[in-house]
Amino acid sequence: MPAFVVRPRSLRWVSLSATALIAACAGGQSTPRFDPNASAKSQAALFMDVQKKSDIAKLDKLAVTSCNVLYGTETGASASTRPGLGEDRSSRGEVNVSTLYVMQGVDNTQLQALTGSLCESASAKLAAAGYTLIPGSELAAHASYQKMHAAGQATPFTMKQKNGTTYTVFTPAGQSVVDQSFMSTGGAIGNVFKAMGGGGPGVAEAALIDELQTAAVHINILVDFASAKSNDKKGILGNITGQDSAKVDAKVSLAVSGFVSFYPVADLQCFKSLATPCSMPNAPRSPRVIAKLPLESGEPFYSSIADIKSTGSKVGETAYNVFAGLTQLAAAAAGSGSGAGMVHTSRYGVVVDYPAYRTATSQLSDRFMDMALASVH
């Protein structure tokens, strides 16, 4: 990623060579990153955070009632220079820099098939860890299970994050998103009112758990294909001090993270006076394992990266022109004065090699589950 930096007070341009520009767009290394040849147990403490470990240790019978896979499809960041509190604005030439990566070359049919495979493998990992799983066919035949997924949110759908990443959410065929973390029901208060009215997937799931006298498990897997980070100063301090440089660092690299939530039957919130006896516990307070660092792969998973801002030509073919254009932009900002603003936007398409993407994603997802389960045993 070109590190585009402008400092309005001195209006100084800090450049990268064209060779560095191409290499940065192709990807980079992150530290720390997991070792695929090391055991899951030896790395679990570094990559996983466990909440209420003792409660998870008590569980033996499980029902996998939800599995969501979130595929990053767009990733970006932006940064802007700005004056500090009380600073003279008339002598500054402000700059805004933004970078966006878009995943291409894979369709929803392929991601749907991959989702089924990832969720099936994740469930198999739970069984291999010693848990007794209620068979999926038995769950699917249960009336409360059917009501739960009928009341959930159909997939695929997209979720835009504050950090600039857009995910497309999938569930296995015949299921829906029932996890409170993803449901747009007005938060905890909305869920309470829906429970009182007898609606919402949480009500049906609570009934299912109560009837089966088992713990429910929600598996959530996040798959990222790129990352971007800006040097923007946030909050009150940033507004006071201002910002004299605008920079976005980005790279293309496949990474998997996520969280596995457990809902013991003893934690159900039951109100015998209501028409609906029980509801699901508050998700953030439930026992769960969360990836605190992504598991990143060094395996190639894409065939090309293209500049799609203009003609869609290869980055390598336009690197010199992009570099020259940035230099011209900085020069224009240097001569603008009077608070004039300049904007630079980079937009790249990452063309995925689906077989390679599928293989790398499956391997990382399996390692995520291995580490999550190793951290609780």
Side-chain angles (χ1 to χ4, degrees), residues 128-161:
Y131 294 105
T132 299
L133 296 187
I134 296 178
S137 58
E138 180 180 336
L139 287 175
H142 205 288
S144 294
Y145 180 89
Q146 296 170 10
K147 291 179 181 178
M148 173 183 66
H149 284 292
Q153 187 167 353
T155 61
F157 63 88
T158 59
M159 293 179 59
K160 180 74 172 180
Q161 305 298 293

Side-chain angles (χ1 to χ4, degrees), residues 8 10 27 31 40-41 46 57 60 70 86 95 97 116 134 140 187 198 218 235 252 258 298 305 317 323 377:
S10 61
T31 303
K41 188 70 174 179
L46 176 62
D60 55 4
L70 287 70
V95 177
V97 185
I134 296 178
H218 291 186
V252 176
I305 303 176
E317 296 170 356
F323 178 70
H377 289 97

Side-chain angles (χ1 to χ4, degrees), residues 18-141:
T19 301
L21 175 64
I22 299 171
C25 287
Q29 302 293 319
S30 66
T31 303
R33 62 184 305 175
F34 89 104
D35 180 359
N37 297 315
S39 69
K41 188 70 174 179
S42 67
Q43 300 178 88
L46 176 62
F47 287 91
M48 299 293 157
D49 182 48
V50 186
Q51 298 179 2
K52 298 188 176 181
K53 182 176 181 178
S54 60
D55 289 351
I56 300 175
K58 299 174 185 177
L59 304 176
D60 55 4
K61 184 180 178 183
L62 303 176
V64 180
T65 54
S66 171
C67 183
N68 306 312
V69 183
L70 287 70
Y71 299 96
T73 52
E74 293 186 0
T75 297
S78 62
S80 300
T81 62
R82 61 185 182 275
L85 184 65
E87 186 175 347
D88 181 11
R89 297 171 181 266
S90 63
S91 61
R92 295 175 59 97
E94 305 299 348
V95 177
N96 176 273
V97 185
S98 64
T99 296
L100 179 69
Y101 283 108
V102 180
M103 188 169 75
Q104 300 177 325
V106 60
D107 58 35
N108 283 355
T109 300
Q110 292 169 317
L111 293 179
Q112 182 66 67
L114 179 56
T115 298
S117 176
L118 296 180
C119 290
E120 182 178 350
S121 181
S123 295
K125 292 287 184 181
L126 288 167
Y131 294 105
T132 299
L133 296 187
I134 296 178
S137 58
E138 180 180 336
L139 287 175

Side-chain angles (χ1 to χ4, degrees), residues 107-361:
D107 58 35
N108 283 355
T109 300
Q110 292 169 317
L111 293 179
Q112 182 66 67
L114 179 56
T115 298
S117 176
L118 296 180
C119 290
E120 182 178 350
S121 181
S123 295
K125 292 287 184 181
L126 288 167
Y131 294 105
T132 299
L133 296 187
I134 296 178
S137 58
E138 180 180 336
L139 287 175
H142 205 288
S144 294
Y145 180 89
Q146 296 170 10
K147 291 179 181 178
M148 173 183 66
H149 284 292
Q153 187 167 353
T155 61
F157 63 88
T158 59
M159 293 179 59
K160 180 74 172 180
Q161 305 298 293
K162 291 182 179 180
N163 65 0
T165 297
T166 297
Y167 290 100
T168 301
V169 185
F170 284 83
T171 59
Q175 298 184 19
S176 64
V177 172
V178 300
D179 197 305
Q180 294 178 26
S181 303
F182 304 100
M183 297 296 292
S184 300
T185 56
I189 294 178
N191 286 331
V192 169
F193 282 109
K194 291 197 74 171
M196 293 176 64
V203 173
E205 185 174 15
L208 177 68
I209 294 173
D210 191 32
E211 292 161 9
L212 296 176
Q213 285 297 294
T214 187
V217 180
H218 291 186
I219 299 169
N220 301 279
I221 300 169
L222 282 69
V223 185
D224 287 292
F225 74 102
S227 62
K229 184 178 181 181
S230 78
N231 71 331
D232 259 2
K233 298 177 183 177
K234 307 295 184 182
I236 297 176
L237 182 60
N239 292 332
I240 293 174
T241 61
Q243 184 159 303
D244 292 335
S245 67
K247 180 180 179 181
V248 174
D249 291 318
K251 65 178 179 179
V252 176
S253 184
L254 193 64
V256 166
S257 57
F259 57 100
V260 181
S261 299
F262 299 82
Y263 298 92
V265 64
D267 290 350
L268 290 179
Q269 297 173 342
C270 297
F271 308 93
K272 299 302 182 182
S273 60
L274 298 178
T276 302
C278 296
S279 62
M280 293 293 287
N282 189 303
R285 298 178 183 175
S286 296
R288 58 180 177 173
V289 185
I290 307 169
K292 55 185 178 182
L293 290 173
L295 279 60
E296 190 171 350
S297 171
E299 297 296 321
F301 68 94
Y302 59 90
S303 57
S304 63
I305 303 176
D307 177 3
I308 57 175
K309 178 184 176 184
S310 52
T311 62
S313 56
K314 300 290 189 197
V315 170
E317 296 170 356
T318 62
Y320 177 79
N321 290 333
V322 171
F323 178 70
L326 292 177
T327 305
Q328 293 168 7
L329 177 61
S336 59
S338 302
M342 301 299 293
V343 177
H344 174 72
T345 301
S346 299
R347 183 180 174 92
Y348 302 108
V350 180
V351 182
V352 168
D353 176 355
Y354 177 67
Y357 176 85
R358 178 186 59 206
T359 298
T361 299

